[in-house]
Amino acid sequence: MILKTVCKSSMCAGCMACIDICPRGAISIEDSLKAYNAVIDADRCINCKACYHVCQENNPPPFSKPLYWKEGWAEKEEIRRKSSSGGFAAAIEKTFVRQGGIICSCIFINGNFEFIFAETEGEIEKFAGSKYVKSNPAGIYKKIKELLCENKKVLFVGLPCQAAALRNYVGEQKDLYLIDLICHGSPSPKILDLFLQDHGTSISKIAEIRFRVKNHFNLEAKQRAFTVPVIYDNYTMTFLEGISYTENCYSCKFARLERITDITLGDSWGSMLPEEEQRKGISLALCQTEKGWELLNESGLYLSNVDLMRSTACNSQLRHPSVKPRQRDSFFENLTKGKSFKTAVFKCFPKRYLKNMLKAFLYHIGMIRDDAGGGAKYTR
Ligand SMILES: Cc1cc2nc3c(=O)[nH]c(=O)nc-3n(C[C@H](O)[C@H](O)[C@H](O)COP(=O)(O)OP(=O)(O)OC[C@H]3O[C@@H](n4cnc5c(N)ncnc54)[C@H](O)[C@@H]3O)c2cc1C
């Protein structure tokens, strides 16, 4: 049978491995805002099925239970400060390059959330920060395979679906280290662009973007906030409410305690460590392999014991995928009809939207202070 899409309709995660593996350049990604589809051009397709087999949605790699679990932070204060959470990712990445390895992870550049390779500690700085949007790993699979063939050590840091796709693409390799993030779900970058249009700008015009400072979640472009600190901006609200993700995220196979990588990183929600440390960010690490555990221990991290039952209870993504909210269909219907982002949000959450407007007004006239906007974790 000739395939029309690489995986089931609307179940594409946008990992792009099928594009990298196709010998005929026959695959393209259709982004309808609400879902991605990897569409096959029947005229070019030779029916080799390489795309079908590399797809992590069709063939998730083997899952393993964590062997070790720890919470903590990067001992170097600067690394922790610049990171979204406790800085585990940057500290591990820096150690890995010091040992002669190469890192592949996500940066924001020229309006795109793309992947680059870093070989020095200076280059690692570009990776800092969680980008709450779908990133695009097109091209990295081939390149990583080449690097592994040259006996280079490679560490990939990305979303679970991307790490799974890489595992499928290159197979089990001793010199490949995989780190995935605990993931709540991710929207198409077009959603971010529609939000920015409400503010008279677009992704391509922005030089820097920040989605969060520690426990305060809100979007900021270079020297520009999109709301007052006491409320969430509309993009962050839709992200935290879980209405903006692409369709596949609600049945994500990787939102569970068993993982497909060497190390899984997330926030240590529910940590019993002092409040002061929580404000500075505390990471959670789950290690599924001995080589991951070794790397974690070499990375200049303060590591503390953590109760895995409690961490799992406080981080729903370790138990099940995000639950699709009932407002999601109306949100996308309004956006596809050409309504503005704020109108689509108002139609989904009218009471909350009006309450936020009131709070913003009270903030402007000095009647409430900067203490209510962030501080919340992922909600579903
Ligand atoms: C879409 C998304 C959803 C998340 N949901 C949860 C959740 O529900 N629960 C939870 O505990 N943690 C979640 N996280 C992870 C969390 O935001 C932190 O990234 C994590 O705690 C590690 O923090 P850190 O301080 O070590 O590193 P960070 O400073 O956060 O850096 C993390 C590393 O991940 C890479 N990265 C960042 N964004 C992306 C992206 N979009 N695609 C690929 N790579 C990326 C960076 O390049 C960097 O190498 C999510 C992250 C993302 C991107």
Side-chain angles (χ1 to χ4, degrees), residues 83-89 93 105-106 115 127 129-133 135 157-159 162 181-185 212 266-267 315 317 378:
S83 300
S84 288
S85 175
F88 273 11
E93 289 164 1
S105 194
C106 168
F115 284 71
F127 296 134
S130 305
K131 294 103 188 159
Y132 292 134
V133 69
S135 46
V157 183
L159 303 180
Q162 299 165 347
L181 302 171
I182 299 175
C183 182
H184 196 235
R212 141 183 198 194
D267 292 273
N315 208 329
Q317 307 316 306
Y378 313 91

PDB file of all heavy atoms in Angstrom, residues 83-89 93 105-106 115 127 129-133 135 157-159 162 181-185 212 266-267 315 317 378, ligand 1:
ATOM      1  N   SER A  83      19.661  29.728  33.565  1.00  0.00           N
ATOM      2  CA  SER A  83      18.813  28.635  33.074  1.00  0.00           C
ATOM      3  C   SER A  83      17.369  28.823  33.525  1.00  0.00           C
ATOM      4  O   SER A  83      17.095  29.590  34.439  1.00  0.00           O
ATOM      5  CB  SER A  83      19.337  27.307  33.619  1.00  0.00           C
ATOM      6  OG  SER A  83      20.661  27.096  33.180  1.00  0.00           O
ATOM      7  N   SER A  84      16.468  28.063  32.888  1.00  0.00           N
ATOM      8  CA  SER A  84      15.054  28.182  33.246  1.00  0.00           C
ATOM      9  C   SER A  84      14.762  27.593  34.614  1.00  0.00           C
ATOM     10  O   SER A  84      13.952  28.099  35.366  1.00  0.00           O
ATOM     11  CB  SER A  84      14.187  27.445  32.221  1.00  0.00           C
ATOM     12  OG  SER A  84      14.180  28.168  31.036  1.00  0.00           O
ATOM     13  N   SER A  85      15.431  26.477  34.896  1.00  0.00           N
ATOM     14  CA  SER A  85      15.151  25.779  36.151  1.00  0.00           C
ATOM     15  C   SER A  85      16.445  25.753  36.979  1.00  0.00           C
ATOM     16  O   SER A  85      17.015  26.817  37.239  1.00  0.00           O
ATOM     17  CB  SER A  85      14.618  24.381  35.803  1.00  0.00           C
ATOM     18  OG  SER A  85      14.425  23.610  36.929  1.00  0.00           O
ATOM     19  N   GLY A  86      16.912  24.572  37.348  1.00  0.00           N
ATOM     20  CA  GLY A  86      18.116  24.515  38.183  1.00  0.00           C
ATOM     21  C   GLY A  86      19.426  24.480  37.410  1.00  0.00           C
ATOM     22  O   GLY A  86      20.500  24.414  37.997  1.00  0.00           O
ATOM     23  N   GLY A  87      19.356  24.515  36.078  1.00  0.00           N
ATOM     24  CA  GLY A  87      20.581  24.585  35.280  1.00  0.00           C
ATOM     25  C   GLY A  87      21.276  23.253  35.037  1.00  0.00           C
ATOM     26  O   GLY A  87      22.434  23.227  34.606  1.00  0.00           O
ATOM     27  N   PHE A  88      20.589  22.138  35.272  1.00  0.00           N
ATOM     28  CA  PHE A  88      21.209  20.828  35.008  1.00  0.00           C
ATOM     29  C   PHE A  88      21.645  20.724  33.538  1.00  0.00           C
ATOM     30  O   PHE A  88      22.729  20.232  33.247  1.00  0.00           O
ATOM     31  CB  PHE A  88      20.220  19.688  35.306  1.00  0.00           C
ATOM     32  CG  PHE A  88      20.214  19.210  36.739  1.00  0.00           C
ATOM     33  CD1 PHE A  88      20.871  19.907  37.736  1.00  0.00           C
ATOM     34  CD2 PHE A  88      19.537  18.041  37.093  1.00  0.00           C
ATOM     35  CE1 PHE A  88      20.861  19.464  39.064  1.00  0.00           C
ATOM     36  CE2 PHE A  88      19.521  17.584  38.410  1.00  0.00           C
ATOM     37  CZ  PHE A  88      20.171  18.297  39.391  1.00  0.00           C
ATOM     38  N   ALA A  89      20.773  21.170  32.622  1.00  0.00           N
ATOM     39  CA  ALA A  89      21.066  20.990  31.189  1.00  0.00           C
ATOM     40  C   ALA A  89      22.386  21.660  30.816  1.00  0.00           C
ATOM     41  O   ALA A  89      23.287  21.012  30.261  1.00  0.00           O
ATOM     42  CB  ALA A  89      19.920  21.537  30.332  1.00  0.00           C
ATOM     43  N   GLU A  93      25.882  19.941  29.620  1.00  0.00           N
ATOM     44  CA  GLU A  93      26.378  20.259  28.268  1.00  0.00           C
ATOM     45  C   GLU A  93      27.822  20.775  28.334  1.00  0.00           C
ATOM     46  O   GLU A  93      28.678  20.381  27.530  1.00  0.00           O
ATOM     47  CB  GLU A  93      25.468  21.319  27.619  1.00  0.00           C
ATOM     48  CG  GLU A  93      24.098  20.774  27.225  1.00  0.00           C
ATOM     49  CD  GLU A  93      23.030  21.836  26.943  1.00  0.00           C
ATOM     50  OE1 GLU A  93      23.324  23.036  27.025  1.00  0.00           O
ATOM     51  OE2 GLU A  93      21.894  21.445  26.659  1.00  0.00           O
ATOM     52  N   SER A 105      21.553  20.981  20.297  1.00  0.00           N
ATOM     53  CA  SER A 105      20.336  21.400  21.009  1.00  0.00           C
ATOM     54  C   SER A 105      19.730  22.616  20.312  1.00  0.00           C
ATOM     55  O   SER A 105      20.200  23.043  19.254  1.00  0.00           O
ATOM     56  CB  SER A 105      20.628  21.651  22.489  1.00  0.00           C
ATOM     57  OG  SER A 105      19.410  21.723  23.200  1.00  0.00           O
ATOM     58  N   CYS A 106      18.695  23.154  20.966  1.00  0.00           N
ATOM     59  CA  CYS A 106      17.828  24.128  20.286  1.00  0.00           C
ATOM     60  C   CYS A 106      18.154  25.579  20.656  1.00  0.00           C
ATOM     61  O   CYS A 106      18.364  25.897  21.825  1.00  0.00           O
ATOM     62  CB  CYS A 106      16.394  23.775  20.691  1.00  0.00           C
ATOM     63  SG  CYS A 106      15.184  25.007  20.280  1.00  0.00           S
ATOM     64  N   PHE A 115      18.061  23.720  15.541  1.00  0.00           N
ATOM     65  CA  PHE A 115      19.111  23.029  16.298  1.00  0.00           C
ATOM     66  C   PHE A 115      20.477  23.353  15.709  1.00  0.00           C
ATOM     67  O   PHE A 115      20.628  23.419  14.485  1.00  0.00           O
ATOM     68  CB  PHE A 115      18.878  21.509  16.268  1.00  0.00           C
ATOM     69  CG  PHE A 115      17.773  21.092  17.198  1.00  0.00           C
ATOM     70  CD1 PHE A 115      16.454  21.394  16.903  1.00  0.00           C
ATOM     71  CD2 PHE A 115      18.051  20.428  18.375  1.00  0.00           C
ATOM     72  CE1 PHE A 115      15.421  21.037  17.766  1.00  0.00           C
ATOM     73  CE2 PHE A 115      17.034  20.056  19.245  1.00  0.00           C
ATOM     74  CZ  PHE A 115      15.725  20.364  18.937  1.00  0.00           C
ATOM     75  N   PHE A 127      22.135  27.916  24.248  1.00  0.00           N
ATOM     76  CA  PHE A 127      21.031  26.954  24.433  1.00  0.00           C
ATOM     77  C   PHE A 127      20.149  27.288  25.634  1.00  0.00           C
ATOM     78  O   PHE A 127      19.028  26.783  25.732  1.00  0.00           O
ATOM     79  CB  PHE A 127      21.585  25.533  24.642  1.00  0.00           C
ATOM     80  CG  PHE A 127      22.326  24.974  23.466  1.00  0.00           C
ATOM     81  CD1 PHE A 127      23.545  24.330  23.631  1.00  0.00           C
ATOM     82  CD2 PHE A 127      21.791  25.053  22.195  1.00  0.00           C
ATOM     83  CE1 PHE A 127      24.226  23.783  22.558  1.00  0.00           C
ATOM     84  CE2 PHE A 127      22.465  24.508  21.105  1.00  0.00           C
ATOM     85  CZ  PHE A 127      23.686  23.879  21.279  1.00  0.00           C
ATOM     86  N   GLY A 129      17.667  28.216  28.453  1.00  0.00           N
ATOM     87  CA  GLY A 129      16.258  28.648  28.464  1.00  0.00           C
ATOM     88  C   GLY A 129      15.322  27.691  27.754  1.00  0.00           C
ATOM     89  O   GLY A 129      15.631  27.160  26.686  1.00  0.00           O
ATOM     90  N   SER A 130      14.153  27.471  28.373  1.00  0.00           N
ATOM     91  CA  SER A 130      13.119  26.623  27.772  1.00  0.00           C
ATOM     92  C   SER A 130      12.372  27.435  26.731  1.00  0.00           C
ATOM     93  O   SER A 130      11.988  28.568  27.000  1.00  0.00           O
ATOM     94  CB  SER A 130      12.120  26.187  28.838  1.00  0.00           C
ATOM     95  OG  SER A 130      12.780  25.569  29.898  1.00  0.00           O
ATOM     96  N   LYS A 131      12.186  26.828  25.557  1.00  0.00           N
ATOM     97  CA  LYS A 131      11.408  27.500  24.509  1.00  0.00           C
ATOM     98  C   LYS A 131      10.096  26.736  24.408  1.00  0.00           C
ATOM     99  O   LYS A 131      10.077  25.601  23.921  1.00  0.00           O
ATOM    100  CB  LYS A 131      12.141  27.482  23.160  1.00  0.00           C
ATOM    101  CG  LYS A 131      13.436  28.292  23.156  1.00  0.00           C
ATOM    102  CD  LYS A 131      14.630  27.370  23.246  1.00  0.00           C
ATOM    103  CE  LYS A 131      15.922  28.129  23.442  1.00  0.00           C
ATOM    104  NZ  LYS A 131      16.965  27.258  24.010  1.00  0.00           N
ATOM    105  N   TYR A 132       9.016  27.360  24.849  1.00  0.00           N
ATOM    106  CA  TYR A 132       7.747  26.650  24.924  1.00  0.00           C
ATOM    107  C   TYR A 132       7.001  26.693  23.594  1.00  0.00           C
ATOM    108  O   TYR A 132       5.934  27.290  23.457  1.00  0.00           O
ATOM    109  CB  TYR A 132       6.916  27.184  26.092  1.00  0.00           C
ATOM    110  CG  TYR A 132       7.543  26.840  27.433  1.00  0.00           C
ATOM    111  CD1 TYR A 132       7.680  27.779  28.451  1.00  0.00           C
ATOM    112  CD2 TYR A 132       8.017  25.560  27.679  1.00  0.00           C
ATOM    113  CE1 TYR A 132       8.261  27.444  29.660  1.00  0.00           C
ATOM    114  CE2 TYR A 132       8.614  25.219  28.880  1.00  0.00           C
ATOM    115  CZ  TYR A 132       8.728  26.164  29.864  1.00  0.00           C
ATOM    116  OH  TYR A 132       9.313  25.823  31.065  1.00  0.00           O
ATOM    117  N   VAL A 133       7.587  26.015  22.623  1.00  0.00           N
ATOM    118  CA  VAL A 133       7.077  26.000  21.258  1.00  0.00           C
ATOM    119  C   VAL A 133       7.719  24.809  20.551  1.00  0.00           C
ATOM    120  O   VAL A 133       8.734  24.284  21.019  1.00  0.00           O
ATOM    121  CB  VAL A 133       7.441  27.356  20.584  1.00  0.00           C
ATOM    122  CG1 VAL A 133       8.930  27.482  20.360  1.00  0.00           C
ATOM    123  CG2 VAL A 133       6.684  27.586  19.312  1.00  0.00           C
ATOM    124  N   SER A 135      10.107  23.015  18.284  1.00  0.00           N
ATOM    125  CA  SER A 135      11.370  23.360  17.625  1.00  0.00           C
ATOM    126  C   SER A 135      11.511  22.477  16.389  1.00  0.00           C
ATOM    127  O   SER A 135      10.761  21.524  16.212  1.00  0.00           O
ATOM    128  CB  SER A 135      12.522  23.136  18.603  1.00  0.00           C
ATOM    129  OG  SER A 135      12.370  21.885  19.245  1.00  0.00           O
ATOM    130  N   VAL A 157      20.134  17.186  23.241  1.00  0.00           N
ATOM    131  CA  VAL A 157      19.187  17.625  24.275  1.00  0.00           C
ATOM    132  C   VAL A 157      17.955  18.197  23.576  1.00  0.00           C
ATOM    133  O   VAL A 157      18.060  19.163  22.823  1.00  0.00           O
ATOM    134  CB  VAL A 157      19.812  18.718  25.183  1.00  0.00           C
ATOM    135  CG1 VAL A 157      18.837  19.100  26.302  1.00  0.00           C
ATOM    136  CG2 VAL A 157      21.136  18.261  25.772  1.00  0.00           C
ATOM    137  N   GLY A 158      16.803  17.582  23.814  1.00  0.00           N
ATOM    138  CA  GLY A 158      15.591  18.062  23.134  1.00  0.00           C
ATOM    139  C   GLY A 158      14.338  17.445  23.701  1.00  0.00           C
ATOM    140  O   GLY A 158      14.344  16.852  24.796  1.00  0.00           O
ATOM    141  N   LEU A 159      13.246  17.570  22.956  1.00  0.00           N
ATOM    142  CA  LEU A 159      11.959  17.047  23.397  1.00  0.00           C
ATOM    143  C   LEU A 159      11.963  15.518  23.276  1.00  0.00           C
ATOM    144  O   LEU A 159      12.718  14.954  22.461  1.00  0.00           O
ATOM    145  CB  LEU A 159      10.834  17.662  22.546  1.00  0.00           C
ATOM    146  CG  LEU A 159      10.788  19.198  22.570  1.00  0.00           C
ATOM    147  CD1 LEU A 159       9.639  19.721  21.709  1.00  0.00           C
ATOM    148  CD2 LEU A 159      10.644  19.721  23.998  1.00  0.00           C
ATOM    149  N   GLN A 162      11.641  14.050  19.785  1.00  0.00           N
ATOM    150  CA  GLN A 162      12.835  14.271  18.954  1.00  0.00           C
ATOM    151  C   GLN A 162      13.936  13.276  19.330  1.00  0.00           C
ATOM    152  O   GLN A 162      14.606  12.706  18.456  1.00  0.00           O
ATOM    153  CB  GLN A 162      13.325  15.707  19.149  1.00  0.00           C
ATOM    154  CG  GLN A 162      12.303  16.748  18.726  1.00  0.00           C
ATOM    155  CD  GLN A 162      12.617  18.151  19.238  1.00  0.00           C
ATOM    156  OE1 GLN A 162      13.468  18.332  20.114  1.00  0.00           O
ATOM    157  NE2 GLN A 162      11.939  19.146  18.671  1.00  0.00           N
ATOM    158  N   LEU A 181      13.544  16.312  27.716  1.00  0.00           N
ATOM    159  CA  LEU A 181      12.908  17.146  28.732  1.00  0.00           C
ATOM    160  C   LEU A 181      11.551  16.541  29.065  1.00  0.00           C
ATOM    161  O   LEU A 181      10.890  15.986  28.172  1.00  0.00           O
ATOM    162  CB  LEU A 181      12.701  18.564  28.172  1.00  0.00           C
ATOM    163  CG  LEU A 181      13.967  19.276  27.694  1.00  0.00           C
ATOM    164  CD1 LEU A 181      13.609  20.573  26.969  1.00  0.00           C
ATOM    165  CD2 LEU A 181      14.907  19.562  28.861  1.00  0.00           C
ATOM    166  N   ILE A 182      11.147  16.650  30.302  1.00  0.00           N
ATOM    167  CA  ILE A 182       9.758  16.305  30.621  1.00  0.00           C
ATOM    168  C   ILE A 182       8.923  17.316  29.830  1.00  0.00           C
ATOM    169  O   ILE A 182       9.234  18.504  29.829  1.00  0.00           O
ATOM    170  CB  ILE A 182       9.496  16.442  32.135  1.00  0.00           C
ATOM    171  CG1 ILE A 182      10.396  15.496  32.920  1.00  0.00           C
ATOM    172  CG2 ILE A 182       8.026  16.194  32.445  1.00  0.00           C
ATOM    173  CD1 ILE A 182      10.298  15.655  34.436  1.00  0.00           C
ATOM    174  N   CYS A 183       7.925  16.850  29.105  1.00  0.00           N
ATOM    175  CA  CYS A 183       7.261  17.802  28.184  1.00  0.00           C
ATOM    176  C   CYS A 183       5.752  17.782  28.347  1.00  0.00           C
ATOM    177  O   CYS A 183       5.107  16.751  28.309  1.00  0.00           O
ATOM    178  CB  CYS A 183       7.653  17.478  26.744  1.00  0.00           C
ATOM    179  SG  CYS A 183       6.940  18.628  25.562  1.00  0.00           S
ATOM    180  N   HIS A 184       5.236  18.976  28.474  1.00  0.00           N
ATOM    181  CA  HIS A 184       3.829  19.248  28.704  1.00  0.00           C
ATOM    182  C   HIS A 184       3.039  19.254  27.401  1.00  0.00           C
ATOM    183  O   HIS A 184       1.817  19.152  27.391  1.00  0.00           O
ATOM    184  CB  HIS A 184       3.825  20.647  29.336  1.00  0.00           C
ATOM    185  CG  HIS A 184       2.587  21.043  30.018  1.00  0.00           C
ATOM    186  ND1 HIS A 184       1.929  22.198  29.696  1.00  0.00           N
ATOM    187  CD2 HIS A 184       1.886  20.461  30.990  1.00  0.00           C
ATOM    188  CE1 HIS A 184       0.870  22.303  30.469  1.00  0.00           C
ATOM    189  NE2 HIS A 184       0.816  21.270  31.265  1.00  0.00           N
ATOM    190  N   GLY A 185       3.782  19.449  26.265  1.00  0.00           N
ATOM    191  CA  GLY A 185       3.160  19.622  24.948  1.00  0.00           C
ATOM    192  C   GLY A 185       3.737  20.873  24.317  1.00  0.00           C
ATOM    193  O   GLY A 185       4.302  21.715  25.023  1.00  0.00           O
ATOM    194  N   ARG A 212      10.205  32.342  30.206  1.00  0.00           N
ATOM    195  CA  ARG A 212      10.062  32.118  31.641  1.00  0.00           C
ATOM    196  C   ARG A 212      11.300  32.614  32.351  1.00  0.00           C
ATOM    197  O   ARG A 212      12.405  32.521  31.799  1.00  0.00           O
ATOM    198  CB  ARG A 212       9.871  30.615  31.823  1.00  0.00           C
ATOM    199  CG  ARG A 212      10.523  29.976  32.966  1.00  0.00           C
ATOM    200  CD  ARG A 212      10.282  28.480  32.926  1.00  0.00           C
ATOM    201  NE  ARG A 212      10.559  27.964  34.240  1.00  0.00           N
ATOM    202  CZ  ARG A 212      10.728  26.692  34.544  1.00  0.00           C
ATOM    203  NH1 ARG A 212      10.606  25.780  33.616  1.00  0.00           N
ATOM    204  NH2 ARG A 212      10.987  26.317  35.762  1.00  0.00           N
ATOM    205  N   GLY A 266      13.693  17.859  34.108  1.00  0.00           N
ATOM    206  CA  GLY A 266      12.484  18.666  34.269  1.00  0.00           C
ATOM    207  C   GLY A 266      12.619  19.530  35.498  1.00  0.00           C
ATOM    208  O   GLY A 266      13.718  19.676  36.055  1.00  0.00           O
ATOM    209  N   ASP A 267      11.515  20.100  35.909  1.00  0.00           N
ATOM    210  CA  ASP A 267      11.486  20.901  37.130  1.00  0.00           C
ATOM    211  C   ASP A 267      11.144  19.979  38.290  1.00  0.00           C
ATOM    212  O   ASP A 267      10.314  19.087  38.137  1.00  0.00           O
ATOM    213  CB  ASP A 267      10.400  21.971  37.023  1.00  0.00           C
ATOM    214  CG  ASP A 267      10.742  23.012  35.987  1.00  0.00           C
ATOM    215  OD1 ASP A 267      11.424  23.978  36.326  1.00  0.00           O
ATOM    216  OD2 ASP A 267      10.320  22.833  34.819  1.00  0.00           O
ATOM    217  N   ASN A 315       4.206  16.078  38.936  1.00  0.00           N
ATOM    218  CA  ASN A 315       4.513  16.397  37.544  1.00  0.00           C
ATOM    219  C   ASN A 315       3.696  15.451  36.663  1.00  0.00           C
ATOM    220  O   ASN A 315       4.133  14.345  36.341  1.00  0.00           O
ATOM    221  CB  ASN A 315       6.019  16.243  37.289  1.00  0.00           C
ATOM    222  CG  ASN A 315       6.502  17.155  36.185  1.00  0.00           C
ATOM    223  OD1 ASN A 315       5.739  17.451  35.256  1.00  0.00           O
ATOM    224  ND2 ASN A 315       7.738  17.587  36.261  1.00  0.00           N
ATOM    225  N   GLN A 317       3.104  15.132  33.701  1.00  0.00           N
ATOM    226  CA  GLN A 317       3.671  14.636  32.435  1.00  0.00           C
ATOM    227  C   GLN A 317       4.448  13.342  32.617  1.00  0.00           C
ATOM    228  O   GLN A 317       4.810  12.682  31.648  1.00  0.00           O
ATOM    229  CB  GLN A 317       4.603  15.676  31.800  1.00  0.00           C
ATOM    230  CG  GLN A 317       3.995  17.035  31.619  1.00  0.00           C
ATOM    231  CD  GLN A 317       2.598  16.958  31.067  1.00  0.00           C
ATOM    232  OE1 GLN A 317       2.395  16.344  30.030  1.00  0.00           O
ATOM    233  NE2 GLN A 317       1.631  17.532  31.735  1.00  0.00           N
ATOM    234  N   TYR A 378       3.117  24.137  35.596  1.00  0.00           N
ATOM    235  CA  TYR A 378       2.239  23.652  34.547  1.00  0.00           C
ATOM    236  C   TYR A 378       0.962  23.126  35.213  1.00  0.00           C
ATOM    237  O   TYR A 378       1.023  22.444  36.223  1.00  0.00           O
ATOM    238  CB  TYR A 378       2.903  22.524  33.777  1.00  0.00           C
ATOM    239  CG  TYR A 378       4.323  22.843  33.393  1.00  0.00           C
ATOM    240  CD1 TYR A 378       5.361  22.495  34.237  1.00  0.00           C
ATOM    241  CD2 TYR A 378       4.605  23.514  32.217  1.00  0.00           C
ATOM    242  CE1 TYR A 378       6.664  22.788  33.904  1.00  0.00           C
ATOM    243  CE2 TYR A 378       5.907  23.797  31.874  1.00  0.00           C
ATOM    244  CZ  TYR A 378       6.927  23.434  32.721  1.00  0.00           C
ATOM    245  OH  TYR A 378       8.216  23.713  32.399  1.00  0.00           O
TER     246      TYR A 378
HETATM  247  C1  LIG B   1       7.824  22.523  25.320  1.00  0.00           C
HETATM  248  C2  LIG B   1       8.362  22.225  26.709  1.00  0.00           C
HETATM  249  C3  LIG B   1       7.493  21.737  27.693  1.00  0.00           C
HETATM  250  C4  LIG B   1       7.971  21.430  28.989  1.00  0.00           C
HETATM  251  N1  LIG B   1       7.108  20.908  29.920  1.00  0.00           N
HETATM  252  C5  LIG B   1       7.592  20.555  31.148  1.00  0.00           C
HETATM  253  C6  LIG B   1       6.734  19.963  32.148  1.00  0.00           C
HETATM  254  O1  LIG B   1       5.547  19.765  31.926  1.00  0.00           O
HETATM  255  N2  LIG B   1       7.280  19.605  33.346  1.00  0.00           N
HETATM  256  C7  LIG B   1       8.614  19.812  33.629  1.00  0.00           C
HETATM  257  O2  LIG B   1       9.070  19.474  34.727  1.00  0.00           O
HETATM  258  N3  LIG B   1       9.434  20.373  32.711  1.00  0.00           N
HETATM  259  C8  LIG B   1       8.963  20.742  31.493  1.00  0.00           C
HETATM  260  N4  LIG B   1       9.813  21.280  30.554  1.00  0.00           N
HETATM  261  C9  LIG B   1      11.261  21.381  30.871  1.00  0.00           C
HETATM  262  C10 LIG B   1      11.637  22.658  31.639  1.00  0.00           C
HETATM  263  O3  LIG B   1      11.094  23.802  31.013  1.00  0.00           O
HETATM  264  C11 LIG B   1      13.169  22.821  31.684  1.00  0.00           C
HETATM  265  O4  LIG B   1      13.682  22.844  30.383  1.00  0.00           O
HETATM  266  C12 LIG B   1      13.860  21.702  32.419  1.00  0.00           C
HETATM  267  O5  LIG B   1      13.442  21.719  33.751  1.00  0.00           O
HETATM  268  C13 LIG B   1      15.399  21.840  32.359  1.00  0.00           C
HETATM  269  O6  LIG B   1      15.750  23.025  32.934  1.00  0.00           O
HETATM  270  P1  LIG B   1      17.279  23.544  32.932  1.00  0.00           P
HETATM  271  O7  LIG B   1      17.370  24.714  33.849  1.00  0.00           O
HETATM  272  O8  LIG B   1      18.172  22.382  33.195  1.00  0.00           O
HETATM  273  O9  LIG B   1      17.577  23.931  31.432  1.00  0.00           O
HETATM  274  P2  LIG B   1      16.936  25.033  30.338  1.00  0.00           P
HETATM  275  O10 LIG B   1      17.572  26.366  30.625  1.00  0.00           O
HETATM  276  O11 LIG B   1      15.485  24.944  30.418  1.00  0.00           O
HETATM  277  O12 LIG B   1      17.565  24.444  29.017  1.00  0.00           O
HETATM  278  C14 LIG B   1      17.094  23.232  28.524  1.00  0.00           C
HETATM  279  C15 LIG B   1      17.765  22.657  27.319  1.00  0.00           C
HETATM  280  O13 LIG B   1      16.670  22.209  26.493  1.00  0.00           O
HETATM  281  C16 LIG B   1      16.726  22.789  25.210  1.00  0.00           C
HETATM  282  N5  LIG B   1      15.375  23.230  24.793  1.00  0.00           N
HETATM  283  C17 LIG B   1      14.646  24.258  25.293  1.00  0.00           C
HETATM  284  N6  LIG B   1      13.476  24.374  24.636  1.00  0.00           N
HETATM  285  C18 LIG B   1      13.486  23.410  23.672  1.00  0.00           C
HETATM  286  C19 LIG B   1      12.587  23.033  22.663  1.00  0.00           C
HETATM  287  N7  LIG B   1      11.413  23.676  22.459  1.00  0.00           N
HETATM  288  N8  LIG B   1      12.915  21.996  21.868  1.00  0.00           N
HETATM  289  C20 LIG B   1      14.078  21.329  22.034  1.00  0.00           C
HETATM  290  N9  LIG B   1      14.977  21.649  22.983  1.00  0.00           N
HETATM  291  C21 LIG B   1      14.688  22.676  23.795  1.00  0.00           C
HETATM  292  C22 LIG B   1      17.658  23.994  25.347  1.00  0.00           C
HETATM  293  O14 LIG B   1      18.278  24.257  24.100  1.00  0.00           O
HETATM  294  C23 LIG B   1      18.623  23.544  26.428  1.00  0.00           C
HETATM  295  O15 LIG B   1      19.643  22.731  25.864  1.00  0.00           O
HETATM  296  C24 LIG B   1       9.349  21.628  29.287  1.00  0.00           C
HETATM  297  C25 LIG B   1      10.206  22.147  28.300  1.00  0.00           C
HETATM  298  C26 LIG B   1       9.733  22.438  27.029  1.00  0.00           C
HETATM  299  C27 LIG B   1      10.691  22.996  25.988  1.00  0.00           C
END
